[in-house]
Amino acid sequence: MPTGIQTPATFEPTLDSCDDRPVVLSAHDLTKDFKKLRAVDRLNLSVCRGDVFGFLGPNGAGKTTTIRLIFGLAYPTSGYVQVLDHHVPHDRQEALRHMGGFVEDPMFYGNMTARRNLRMIGRMRGEVDEERITEVLEMVGLSERGDSKVGGYSHGMRRRLGIALALIHNPELVILDEPTSGLDPQGMKDVRELIRTLGRQGTTVFLSSHLLHEVELVCNRAAIMRKGRVVVQGPVSALHPTANAVKILTGDQRRALEVLRGLVGAQGVDEDEEYLVVRGGDELVPEAVRRLVADEIDVLAVIPAVEQGLEDMFLELTARPEEKGPE
């Protein structure tokens, strides 16, 4: 199977390869209907051991519903999730032994301290020793507030405590829904570094986020959802539009714009400060230069455009017009 980006026109991507790493989390034709709404539509994805996997999409794309299906908090209409060797929802209890995390806002007892919350809630999944509680509070930067009541915590501090709870049993898979929401810049940086550290230590992280820059900074692989379907998944380094692009500077940019639009169409040329950004195939550059020179326009510079990143891919994919799916 190919290991690169997958963007089939039919919006039915297959699982990309984990090479020699085991698959920790996968979805197989996962579907969830709510009356007339299909929130998740035949979703297939694979998360490999050690991945920090970004899960992206606009509001309403089905991300939160997917996470609820992974945790077994919702029952699929069809298909299933697999966590290691355990199917969800059928083997939910066994699967949960390998997972930690939260969906949307983690819930705590406001009249109890952070330490007591971790102790009580953590024991619902198994024994928790005080040393581990101290360790996770330190990991998320709450050591000095561990004995404060959670009712006095800010939204960002509750997020940190949610991550601490997710880590309390050293799970093999951590699922985090918008983990940096509500954090100040330093807090966001600290959480990102924590997530990177977890990945380096072999903990698999499934990270839902609307912060595309965050995913580029933290994740090694990602999937983008649109209207319940994964439209692309693969290495973050490969998530960029497929069209080649160059920046062209001439002695007469107004005339050059007309010439280049005649060559590649109005949608193939953009203005970027003093440059014209032109998208096309490998044959574009020599042909564009020939056309410009033929029209007596001085070509001053032709340079590769800065490679478009995940945000451009996200906008390109999620802005596509609605495509008719299978009957």
Side-chain angles (χ1 to χ4, degrees):
M1 283 185 167
T3 59
I5 189 170
Q6 302 176 10
T7 54
T10 57
F11 287 93
E12 295 181 14
T14 56
L15 303 184
D16 61 326
S17 173
C18 284
D19 300 319
D20 295 328
R21 293 182 294 156
V23 176
V24 175
L25 169 68
S26 57
H28 302 265
D29 289 328
L30 190 64
T31 301
K32 179 62 179 177
D33 295 331
F34 294 100
K35 295 183 178 179
K36 295 183 179 181
L37 172 67
R38 174 154 289 186
V40 179
D41 188 3
R42 293 173 300 161
L43 184 147
N44 291 280
L45 59 80
S46 61
V47 180
C48 315
R49 185 181 301 281
D51 275 346
V52 178
F53 192 96
F55 194 48
L56 293 163
N59 290 336
K63 301 190 303 298
T64 296
T65 300
T66 299
I67 293 175
R68 292 181 66 83
L69 291 167
I70 292 171
F71 278 120
L73 299 174
Y75 203 92
T77 303
S78 61
Y80 64 95
V81 171
Q82 186 166 334
V83 178
L84 296 173
D85 296 327
H86 308 293
H87 288 203
V88 179
H90 302 299
D91 301 332
R92 177 175 180 262
Q93 292 303 319
E94 288 300 316
L96 286 174
R97 296 180 188 277
H98 302 278
M99 292 191 285
F102 53 81
V103 186
E104 298 179 316
D105 289 325
M107 303 298 293
F108 297 102
Y109 298 102
N111 63 338
M112 296 182 185
T113 66
R115 187 177 295 275
R116 189 176 178 192
N117 266 281
L118 293 176
R119 185 185 304 120
M120 289 188 62
I121 300 174
R123 283 177 178 171
M124 295 178 184
R125 299 273 302 277
E127 286 300 315
V128 181
D129 61 42
E130 294 301 311
E131 184 177 342
R132 180 59 178 169
I133 291 174
T134 299
E135 182 179 352
V136 296
L137 285 171
E138 183 175 352
M139 290 172 70
V140 301
L142 289 176
S143 294
E144 296 182 359
R145 296 295 302 273
D147 293 317
S148 300
K149 290 185 177 181
V150 174
Y153 273 23
S154 66
H155 177 72
M157 292 172 69
R158 286 174 177 264
R159 284 282 171 176
R160 291 171 181 260
L161 188 58
I163 298 173
L165 181 60
L167 298 174
I168 198 75
H169 291 293
N170 286 303
E172 296 171 74
L173 171 64
V174 176
I175 299 174
L176 302 176
D177 191 8
E178 302 283 356
T180 60
S181 175
L183 298 179
D184 59 25
Q186 184 60 51
M188 295 174 73
K189 181 179 179 181
D190 292 344
V191 169
R192 288 169 183 162
E193 183 54 40
L194 170 60
I195 292 171
R196 291 192 194 99
T197 299
L198 291 172
R200 288 194 294 266
Q201 292 175 347
T203 300
T204 306
V205 181
F206 186 80
L207 169 66
S208 170
S209 176
H210 70 281
L211 300 176
L212 308 178
H213 181 59
E214 177 172 83
V215 169
E216 286 190 296
L217 287 174
V218 173
C219 300
N220 66 303
R221 296 177 64 241
I224 298 175
M225 283 194 76
R226 176 180 183 270
K227 297 191 176 181
R229 297 187 181 186
V230 167
V231 294
V232 59
Q233 66 174 305
V236 167
S237 60
L239 294 182
H240 56 79
T242 56
N244 296 321
V246 293
K247 287 184 175 182
I248 297 179
L249 181 64
T250 72
D252 189 339
Q253 293 293 77
R254 182 185 60 79
R255 289 180 55 216
L257 179 62
E258 295 176 0
V259 171
L260 294 172
R261 282 178 172 170
L263 176 63
V264 298
Q267 301 300 315
V269 187
D270 293 314
E271 298 180 68
D272 181 11
E273 297 180 349
E274 71 270 31
Y275 289 95
L276 298 176
V277 180
V278 189
R279 294 179 296 278
D282 293 338
E283 72 284 353
L284 166 69
V285 174
E287 180 60 24
V289 171
R290 281 194 292 268
R291 294 280 186 95
L292 292 168
V293 171
D295 279 58
E296 299 183 346
I297 300 172
D298 293 332
V299 179
L300 305 179
V302 179
I303 59 177
V306 176
E307 188 176 40
Q308 292 173 291
L310 186 55
E311 182 168 5
D312 301 277
M313 171 62 81
F314 177 84
L315 294 174
E316 177 182 295
L317 290 172
T318 58
R320 287 177 177 174
E322 182 64 30
E323 300 188 21
K324 186 176 181 181
E327 298 294 338

